[in-house]
Amino acid sequence: MTQNRPPSSTFRPPAVAAALPQERRDDGEAFVVREAASGCGTVVLTLVGSFGVGTVACLHEALSEARLERAPRTVLDLTGVTFGDSAFLHELLTAHFSHRDLLLRGPVPRHLHHLFLRTGTLRLFAFVPDRGPLP
């Protein structure tokens, strides 16, 4: 029996590879890892892989669960995203308008920064530059 795993070429941030995730949502070429809960109730989701119309369901599911928990803050770590299309952007925009406090943590890959610039959505999102302490 073969397991459904992302391709070995998928970038895995060191913190994801080293930590035991609390929960993982897998959609073939893309997956979302929910980091262990912090004391302040912040939900941190680390996104890894290629997020397109066929693989964005795992992100949708993880964001829906975070919203239902009414977490005071949701942080999306975008460092490991290798591709994001309009379906990916749609999920981010939905999260922006439905979560109390949404932060995108980077460094944001160049192709995503370009997507945000070209679509005029860059100004909508709040960014945290790296994996350091959250504000």
Side-chain angles (χ1 to χ4, degrees):
M1 180 168 96
T2 59
Q3 293 179 341
N4 188 11
R5 295 183 188 180
S8 59
S9 63
T10 300
F11 172 78
R12 294 177 193 257
V16 174
L20 292 175
Q22 176 181 343
E23 186 175 345
R24 176 177 162 159
R25 298 278 181 218
D26 196 334
D27 217 356
E29 295 180 7
F31 62 93
V32 178
V33 176
R34 180 176 173 151
E35 295 181 16
S38 66
C40 62
T42 298
V43 172
V44 179
L45 302 173
T46 301
L47 286 56
V48 179
S50 176
F51 290 86
V53 70
T55 58
V56 78
C58 62
L59 175 59
H60 176 82
E61 192 174 322
L63 286 169
S64 294
E65 289 177 6
R67 186 180 64 251
L68 289 174
E69 290 176 25
R70 298 187 184 275
R73 175 180 285 165
T74 304
V75 178
L76 301 179
D77 187 334
L78 302 179
T79 308
V81 176
T82 58
F83 173 79
D85 68 2
S86 61
F88 176 71
L89 181 59
H90 175 77
E91 290 301 327
L92 295 182
L93 289 170
T94 300
H96 169 74
F97 291 110
S98 64
H99 290 251
R100 284 194 211 164
D101 184 16
L102 179 72
L103 294 176
L104 304 183
R105 184 162 67 181
V108 176
R110 183 180 204 148
H111 59 278
L112 291 183
H113 188 263
H114 183 72
L115 175 68
F116 298 147
L117 279 174
R118 298 289 282 179
T119 58
T121 57
L122 183 64
R123 62 182 173 78
L124 292 177
F125 298 110
F127 293 90
V128 178
D130 58 24
R131 294 187 59 88
L134 297 170

